[in-house]
Amino acid sequence: MTHFKPFIQQLIELRNTLFRAAVSFIIIFICLSFYANDIYSFFSAPIIAKLTDGNRLVSTGLTSTFLVPLKITAFVSFLLSLPFIFYQFWRFISPGLYKKEKKLILFSFVSGFVLFFIGMAFAYYLIFPIVFNFFILMTPSNVSLMIDISNYLDLILSLLISFGLAFEVPVIILILVTLGWVKVKKLEEARPYMIVIAFIISAILTPPDVISQFCLAIPLCFLYELGLFVSKRINLKA
């Protein structure tokens, strides 16, 4: 039975890691829940700024006014708890990693975390006004636009996550090149195909309008080139 002890100890450590990660999220969520309406107001500001007289946000569900602010607060809480969650898992896996692997994982998380927030900020400050203005301008003059807050939440979360993930492209390329799974030359040769893939991904992740698709596809192409540039520079230094 003694040879099972290391395995059991690892399971206990994993359980404790998951528990501490969950607690970090819960604590942040509880603290932010007191400001749930303020957080919702921040995320609804882009559409409020574009609404004209007669157009407004509405709630078609009795519980929506309570649940929607909590949902967006839970999303923010999860993002803010990611460093704490990563630290807990880092404590669990780092003893079994080589020095090079530790550097790669740390760099990937920090750069990926920063780029994800940059992607969301890009969507919030640049894309939201363009997309919302487009949809509102397309509303017929004899139609009073009333946007359900639940549908609005689904839309902004999908856009925020889509742009956040899109900005991870340079990190993904760098990881693939560093691990030797793909060569920079091959990625350069695949550039025409990646442009097509970028537009396909944009069509899947964004609302069904050309403006949103172009707003995501163009940054994806740029970020792909950025990933290639950084990967080549690192290879030259190596």
Side-chain angles (χ1 to χ4, degrees), residues 76-164:
V76 174
S77 301
F78 174 72
L79 293 178
L80 294 180
S81 64
L82 280 178
F84 302 98
I85 295 173
F86 174 78
Y87 174 71
Q88 296 302 325
F89 281 96
W90 178 252
R91 290 179 55 190
F92 179 72
I93 66 172
S94 60
L97 299 175
Y98 293 106
K99 187 176 180 179
K100 184 178 180 180
E101 293 172 334
K102 290 181 180 180
K103 288 183 178 180
L104 179 61
I105 292 175
L106 280 174
F107 173 81
S108 300
F109 175 78
V110 173
S111 58
F113 185 75
V114 172
L115 285 173
F116 192 87
F117 270 87
I118 293 175
M120 291 195 300
F122 179 82
Y124 181 89
Y125 290 105
L126 296 177
I127 304 304
F128 281 7
I130 295 174
V131 172
F132 297 156
N133 190 58
F134 170 78
F135 281 121
I136 292 173
L137 288 176
M138 291 297 102
T139 304
S141 58
N142 61 344
V143 174
S144 180
L145 180 63
M146 295 185 181
I147 305 167
D148 180 63
I149 58 174
S150 296
N151 293 334
Y152 175 72
L153 173 67
D154 294 338
L155 174 63
I156 63 169
L157 285 184
S158 65
L159 286 174
L160 288 172
I161 294 173
S162 298
F163 278 87

Side-chain angles (χ1 to χ4, degrees), residues 5-233:
K5 287 184 178 180
F7 178 70
I8 294 175
Q9 289 175 351
Q10 288 180 353
L11 286 179
I12 293 174
E13 290 177 6
L14 179 60
R15 182 200 63 185
N16 293 337
T17 297
L18 293 172
F19 176 76
R20 288 190 292 265
V23 167
S24 65
F25 164 75
I26 293 172
I27 291 175
I28 293 175
F29 176 71
I30 291 174
C31 293
L32 291 182
S33 62
F34 295 100
Y35 306 96
N37 288 336
D38 295 327
I39 293 172
Y40 172 75
S41 297
F42 173 78
F43 282 96
S44 62
I47 189 68
I48 294 293
K50 297 297 180 181
L51 291 177
T52 57
D53 295 338
N55 300 328
R56 61 184 186 272
L57 289 175
V58 298
S59 175
T60 58
L62 181 63
T63 59
S64 296
T65 53
F66 172 74
L67 292 178
V68 169
L70 284 183
K71 287 179 181 179
I72 194 67
T73 301
F75 174 70
V76 174
S77 301
F78 174 72
L79 293 178
L80 294 180
S81 64
L82 280 178
F84 302 98
I85 295 173
F86 174 78
Y87 174 71
Q88 296 302 325
F89 281 96
W90 178 252
R91 290 179 55 190
F92 179 72
I93 66 172
S94 60
L97 299 175
Y98 293 106
K99 187 176 180 179
K100 184 178 180 180
E101 293 172 334
K102 290 181 180 180
K103 288 183 178 180
L104 179 61
I105 292 175
L106 280 174
F107 173 81
S108 300
F109 175 78
V110 173
S111 58
F113 185 75
V114 172
L115 285 173
F116 192 87
F117 270 87
I118 293 175
M120 291 195 300
F122 179 82
Y124 181 89
Y125 290 105
L126 296 177
I127 304 304
F128 281 7
I130 295 174
V131 172
F132 297 156
N133 190 58
F134 170 78
F135 281 121
I136 292 173
L137 288 176
M138 291 297 102
T139 304
S141 58
N142 61 344
V143 174
S144 180
L145 180 63
M146 295 185 181
I147 305 167
D148 180 63
I149 58 174
S150 296
N151 293 334
Y152 175 72
L153 173 67
D154 294 338
L155 174 63
I156 63 169
L157 285 184
S158 65
L159 286 174
L160 288 172
I161 294 173
S162 298
F163 278 87
L165 292 177
F167 274 64
E168 300 297 311
V169 169
V171 178
I172 295 172
I173 292 176
L174 185 60
I175 292 174
L176 294 176
V177 173
T178 302
L179 294 177
W181 291 355
V182 66
K183 300 293 183 182
V184 176
K185 186 177 180 180
K186 290 292 184 182
L187 292 174
E188 289 178 331
E189 293 174 354
R191 184 181 285 112
Y193 303 101
M194 294 308 301
I195 294 175
V196 175
I197 292 174
F199 277 90
I200 293 174
I201 292 174
S202 301
I204 294 173
L205 296 180
T206 60
D209 67 280
V210 178
I211 301 296
S212 300
Q213 293 170 12
F214 269 89
C215 287
L216 181 57
I218 293 174
L220 270 175
C221 296
F222 172 78
L223 291 165
Y224 184 79
E225 295 297 328
L226 178 63
L228 294 179
F229 174 77
V230 174
S231 299
K232 284 193 289 188
R233 297 292 296 178

